[in-house]
Amino acid sequence: MFCRNCGKELTGSPEICPNCGAKPMKGTSFCPNCGAPTTELTEICPKCGARVAGKVVAKAGGTWMPLTAGILDLVAGIPALIIGIALAAGLGALGGLIGGLGGIPGVGVIMGAIVVPLIIFAIIAIVGGVFAIRRRTWWLALVGSISAFLAGLPLILPAIFLGIPAIVFTILGRKHFK
């Protein structure tokens, strides 16, 4: 066994390295198996092939879930926002055209009832996606994933293929949020 702090070979399993005074497994500078120099990012020793348990290895597992949820939120939210804005712009032009032709009662109200929530859900999905990617404020990331689902409902498939997995990944990745 070698000290991970100073790289000196140790006999037995001492609590403290007699050479540097550190706990032998505390450092990340040397391989505990052969004493070869390593870094904090080294997972496998280049000299002997032994697994070196660095800080990155301990934290890496499962962090793909919040990242994936955030990307799904953005992929659902950005097109929904664009569609919502386009519908709102079209609704204004359509309202003028229909109003000029005598108007059809309720068209503006029905379209407004679809467009306004679509834009709101899309914005919340985008914000929640950013929070999920940064792994900050879990509840806001979850609200963003739910909004991604709701923003995709008018077209059905985005809700199924983007919203539901985003919700699942956000919930399962909760422990990776700060």
Side-chain angles (χ1 to χ4, degrees):
M1 178 171 141
F2 291 82
C3 176
R4 298 229 38 219
N5 190 50
C6 68
K8 295 295 180 185
E9 188 169 7
L10 304 171
T11 54
S13 298
E15 295 277 330
I16 296 174
C17 174
N19 188 52
C20 68
K23 291 186 178 182
M25 296 307 286
K26 272 289 195 197
T28 58
S29 300
F30 297 92
C31 173
N33 191 46
C34 69
T38 60
T39 67
E40 191 175 270
L41 301 175
T42 304
E43 292 184 29
I44 297 174
C45 175
K47 184 176 178 186
C48 70
R51 180 163 285 288
V52 178
K55 291 181 183 177
V56 173
V57 175
K59 291 183 181 178
T63 56
W64 62 271
M65 287 185 205
L67 176 66
T68 305
I71 291 170
L72 291 172
D73 290 346
L74 292 175
V75 168
I78 292 171
L81 181 62
I82 293 168
I83 290 169
I85 291 171
L87 285 175
L91 179 61
L94 183 65
L97 179 65
I98 292 174
L101 299 174
I104 299 173
V107 170
V109 173
I110 292 171
M111 287 299 288
I114 294 170
V115 170
V116 172
L118 179 65
I119 292 172
I120 291 170
F121 289 138
I123 291 170
I124 295 171
I126 292 167
V127 171
V130 171
F131 275 82
I133 289 171
R134 295 179 65 211
R135 293 192 304 273
R136 303 266 194 261
T137 318
W138 176 81
W139 67 268
L140 190 54
L142 181 61
V143 169
S145 295
I146 293 168
S147 295
F149 172 77
L150 294 173
L153 276 179
L155 300 176
I156 306 296
L157 290 178
I160 295 170
F161 292 114
L162 301 172
I164 292 174
I167 293 169
V168 170
F169 291 144
T170 302
I171 291 170
L172 292 177
R174 182 177 186 178
K175 65 182 177 181
H176 301 288
F177 283 82
K178 294 178 184 170

